[in-house]
Amino acid sequence: MKIVGVGVGPGMLTSEASKVIQHAEIIYGSPRAIKLAQEYITCEAKNIGDYSKINELPSNAVVLSTGDPNLSGLGKYAGPDAEIIPGLSSLQVACARLRVDIADVVVVTAHGRNPTSAVVKFRQAIESGSTVFLLPSPEMGVDMVASTLESFGLDVPIAVLEHLGYPDEHVEVGNADKTPLVNSLLYCIMTGPAIRLDFNLKNKTKI
Amino acid sequence: MKIVGVGVGPGMLTSEASKVIQHAEIIYGSPRAIKLAQEYITCEAKNIGDYSKINELPSNAVVLSTGDPNLSGLGKYAGPDAEIIPGLSSLQVACARLRVDIADVVVVTAHGRNPTSAVVKFRQAIESGSTVFLLPSPEMGVDMVASTLESFGLDVPIAVLEHLGYPDEHVEVGNADKTPLVNSLLYCIMTGPAIRLDFNLKNKTKI
């Protein structure tokens, strides 16, 4: 089995990934992952119902993962013989847009298996002055970010990044007083002192 | 100016990156970056002498960065109007090979501007039980990793990953007692409890 990262938006497939997809005998993925890879798909592509069961798929299966399989993706379900092919993640596109070095970022996944540890990790990172990239959940969103910053008395930027890589990509940067709005379900958040505001970018709003 | 990540090895260019390179009027990069992008280059490609001066290059320049420009790459030199196009980093390929989730990793860049803070960050991460991805330097290499683990009494894997993505890629996994060998200048290190050893991989040696 091969687990292939298709990137977080259009045009992000690597040549290695597109070759694997072109030569696949059977493909599985979410509707969004299949759409991102569509131009290279030459075989049957089936929707995945239960991601935790990908190990029960045939050994020749090519499984598509949006973003990078190893960032809150399907990599964690990979069996011992699976091959993982990385893809561009939302973390990388967010860092490119906000001019943040990936080495300066603490990554927090709110929709992981352990919501309590995600909250603890987030608060510790904020308290220590780190910049945090957050894959949010309904409970851990921009309001939680703003209230955490306020509780520590921190005035640092909060960025909401929606539809990264898509034509309707939108990045809005505010702070705890003026929190950026979230208008979609496909978004991520970055907050912290490493966000650079001295640059120009299409589709970006400072509030 | 566009700063384009070409990935850490062959076949990692995204379709967006290869289109930008194909339509470039003038390209700058290191010899390795230019070689990775060679098949898409249709204009003159010049070697960069001093990376910190890329802002003095013409505004139509396409500057190639190995890996991801925002992971110890050229992104930090980007001017306010530059556009950064991400690429696959050694961190991602290492996480794919060793089955580690990127959210579980602390990234330390030894050859950055401040070697002392890199050592402090590395020791703090190891002491707290984190898994660390290290872009090494002559002073901060596998011996320093092993002695740090020993000083904290930690028995966790140490992986040396050489030539990631190239045909002669080699991954060797040991520990503080049996440290993996480094045979080249193009390598990175991962160490910590998140490294999974229960999988099979070509080109990988457990010692």
Side-chain angles (χ1 to χ4, degrees), chain A:
Chain A
M1 177 181 299
K2 292 181 177 175
I3 301 177
V4 179
V6 299
V8 72
M12 294 186 195
L13 272 170
T14 65
S15 30
E16 183 185 11
S18 41
K19 275 180 198 153
V20 167
I21 292 164
Q22 272 173 330
H23 295 105
E25 291 165 354
I26 177 73
I27 284 176
Y28 294 84
S30 67
R32 187 162 82 88
I34 290 171
K35 197 169 177 190
L36 286 171
Q38 195 69 61
E39 68 179 300
Y40 298 102
I41 296 177
T42 60
C43 66
E44 189 183 7
K46 295 185 178 180
N47 284 332
I48 294 183
D50 183 350
Y51 295 104
S52 66
K53 291 189 179 159
I54 59 171
N55 272 318
E56 296 169 17
L57 297 176
S59 64
N60 64 342
V62 169
V63 182
L64 308 181
S65 181
T66 53
D68 188 322
N70 285 99
L71 181 65
S72 194
L74 300 183
K76 57 181 165 294
Y77 303 120
D81 293 312
E83 183 184 349
I84 298 177
I85 296 167
L88 287 190
S89 68
S90 49
L91 166 67
Q92 293 175 276
V93 182
C95 284
R97 302 297 190 256
L98 299 171
R99 303 296 182 83
V100 173
D101 196 287
I102 291 167
D104 293 334
V105 178
V106 173
V107 178
V108 179
T109 308
H111 54 265
R113 295 178 200 177
N114 193 336
T116 310
S117 74
V119 172
V120 171
K121 185 179 181 185
F122 180 79
R123 289 187 63 89
Q124 283 177 343
I126 292 294
E127 191 173 13
S128 69
S130 294
T131 295
V132 176
F133 175 77
L134 174 66
L135 290 170
S137 68
E139 295 73 33
M140 275 186 86
V142 72
D143 292 339
M144 186 279 303
V145 170
S147 65
T148 306
L149 292 176
E150 278 180 342
S151 72
F152 291 119
L154 287 171
D155 181 19
V156 293
I158 302 173
V160 164
L161 306 106
E162 297 180 288
H163 295 193
L164 281 173
Y166 285 90
D168 60 344
E169 171 179 317
H170 184 251
V171 179
E172 192 164 294
V173 185
N175 55 31
D177 283 339
K178 292 181 180 175
T179 53
L181 289 177
V182 175
N183 297 305
S184 78
L185 292 172
L186 190 60
Y187 77 104
C188 51
I189 299 172
M190 197 178 287
T191 183
I195 294 174
R196 275 179 55 189
L197 298 175
D198 58 334
F199 59 96
N200 305 313
L201 179 74
K202 57 176 186 176
N203 308 329
K204 191 168 69 67
T205 315
K206 288 180 206 175
I207 57 174

Side-chain angles (χ1 to χ4, degrees), chain B residues 149-200:
Chain B
L149 291 176
E150 277 180 342
S151 72
F152 291 120
L154 288 171
D155 181 20
V156 294
I158 303 173
V160 164
L161 307 106
E162 298 181 288
H163 294 192
L164 281 174
Y166 285 90
D168 60 344
E169 172 179 317
H170 184 249
V171 179
E172 192 164 294
V173 184
N175 56 32
D177 284 337
K178 292 181 179 175
T179 53
L181 289 177
V182 176
N183 298 303
S184 78
L185 293 171
L186 190 60
Y187 77 104
C188 51
I189 299 172
M190 196 177 289
T191 183
I195 294 174
R196 273 179 56 189
L197 298 175
D198 59 334
F199 60 95
N200 305 314

